[in-house]
């Protein structure tokens, strides 16, 4: 598989070298015949934290550049990300060797058939139940009038001994229904993983459903995820959008997980929550949480937002803490935005966190966070 990675990268660069009369379009999607598209984002962060009286301040910057090379029915994409904290879209990578975040080549073989090969995420929905850890993928997507049906075969990890002992293989089936009656969104997902390195068992699966349904002026969305195998159990997330009723963006969210859901939530799409999503959501089984978030455009440059959360254990009712966040975004120029926020998480009876030895502990935590960010897009 390492050879496949090298071949795919070589193919991406070879496309550029073989395109006659290459046209350069800065800032577009790179989909023109013989075209090169370049887009990018640079972020500068300053942050101050206080965790149970232990204060910490740090500076961070991140730069991402996406290159798309297109010729005929073939498009190659290379996603370059440079970050001083070693975080690459949740992959926890660091070092020059992992400068390339994602890379893939797509070929529109027929009007209804697209092939995609490379390394990219297979995440589903909010990426709460699965982070879509896929690598060295081969994907075929059949596009019908009613639905897009995709099959992905992935070699997440290749054993070093020439046998299957160190292999982690993944098979993903995705169905995105286009004509789903009253539903705006109806997506189905199944991921079967064979992990020969797992001590708990070599095979498990994940099944997900993602739906969105307008109910008059109210928007309703739901995501359901279930693990099969040794890490079984399920969770649900409901979201109600009230923006059309109140005249500004307002969403109410409800989350619940079963007491036998032993898989850690690997995604972090809990936006706009600042602390729960990044620091507090490890091993949240047997939990009920409700949060609301709102944003308001003061004018064409300034927007403000806020979010509140409360959580508790399902059966015993012990509080797992509450959170309050506020923030603003100000448009300094067409492609330059300044953002600032403050978040506070107050302890309840405790939160579940890893003990570093494969188990969990219930710990009391008070957490505050203040940060500001400048984002430049090009």
């Amino acid at each position: 598989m390492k050879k496949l990675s090298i071949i795919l990268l070589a193919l991406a660069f070879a496309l550029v070298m073989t395109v006659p009369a290459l046209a350069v379009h800065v800032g577009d999607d790179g989909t023109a015949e013989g075209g090169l598209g370049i887009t990018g984002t640079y972020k500068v962060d300053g942050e101050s934290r206080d965790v149970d009286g232990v204060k910490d301040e740090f500076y961070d910057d991140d730069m991402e550049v996406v290159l798309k090379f297109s010729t005929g029915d073939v498009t190659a994409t290379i996603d370059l990300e440079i970050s001083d904290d070693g975080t690459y879209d949740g992959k926890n990578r660091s070092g020059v060797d992992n400068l390339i975040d994602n890379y893939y080549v797509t070929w529109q073989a027929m009007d209804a058939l697209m092939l995609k090969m490379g390394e990219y995420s297979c995440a589903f929905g909010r990426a709460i139940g699965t982070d879509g850890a896929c690598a060295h993928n081969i994907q075929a997507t059949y596009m019908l009038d009613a639905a897009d049906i995709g099959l992905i075969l992935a070699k997440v990890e290749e054993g070093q001994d020439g046998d299957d002992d160190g292999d982690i293989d993944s098979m993903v089936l995705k169905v995105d229904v286009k004509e789903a009656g009253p539903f705006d969104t109806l997506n189905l997902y199944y991921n079967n993983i064979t992990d020969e390195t797992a001590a708990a068992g070599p095979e498990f699966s994940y099944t997900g459903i993602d739906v969105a349904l307008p109910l008059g002026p109210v928007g309703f969305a739901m995501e359901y995820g279930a693990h099969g195998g040794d890490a079984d159990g399920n969770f649900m997330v409901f979201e109600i959008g009230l923006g059309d009723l109140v005249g500004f963006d307002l969403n109410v969210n409800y989350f619940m997980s079963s007491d036998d859901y032993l898989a850690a939530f690997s995604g972090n799409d809990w936006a706009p929550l600042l602390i729960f999503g990044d620091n507090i959501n490890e091993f949240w089984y047997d939990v009920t949480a409700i949060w609301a978030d709102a944003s308001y455009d003061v004018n064409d440059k300034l927007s403000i937002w806020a979010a509140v959360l409360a959580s508790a254990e399902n059966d015993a009712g012990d509080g797992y803490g509450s959170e309050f966040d506020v923030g603003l975004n100000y448009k300094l120029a067409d492609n330059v935005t300044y953002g600032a926020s403050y978040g506070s998480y107050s302890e309840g009876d405790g939160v579940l966190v890893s003990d570093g030895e494969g188990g969990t502990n219930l710990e009391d935590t008070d957490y505050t966070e203040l940060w500001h960010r400048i984002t430049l897009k090009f």
Side-chain angles (χ1 to χ4, degrees), residues 146-212:
D148 291 343
I149 303 174
L151 175 65
I152 305 173
L153 301 178
K155 176 70 71 174
V156 181
E157 191 71 39
E158 180 70 68
Q160 302 298 317
D161 299 328
D163 53 29
D164 293 335
D165 289 344
D167 286 2
I168 304 177
D169 300 320
S170 178
M171 182 192 72
V172 177
L173 178 63
K174 301 173 66 175
V175 179
D176 300 336
V177 181
K178 300 176 183 176
E179 298 179 2
F183 293 96
D184 284 345
T185 301
L186 177 55
N187 299 327
L188 310 174
Y189 180 94
Y190 177 78
N191 186 359
N192 187 82
I193 300 173
T194 302
D195 186 352
E196 299 294 343
T197 67
E203 188 168 357
F204 59 95
S205 62
Y206 178 79
T207 303
I209 302 174
D210 185 22
V211 301

Side-chain angles (χ1 to χ4, degrees), residues 82-94:
I82 306 168
S83 177
D84 66 1
D85 66 354
T87 301
Y88 288 74
D89 288 350
K91 295 181 180 179
N92 295 321
R93 294 177 161 185
S94 62

Side-chain angles (χ1 to χ4, degrees), residues 239-256:
E239 179 180 353
I240 299 176
L242 304 173
D244 289 343
L245 283 178
V246 298
F248 58 91
D249 288 340
L250 176 62
N251 302 294
V252 178
N253 303 268
Y254 176 84
F255 167 84
M256 183 176 68

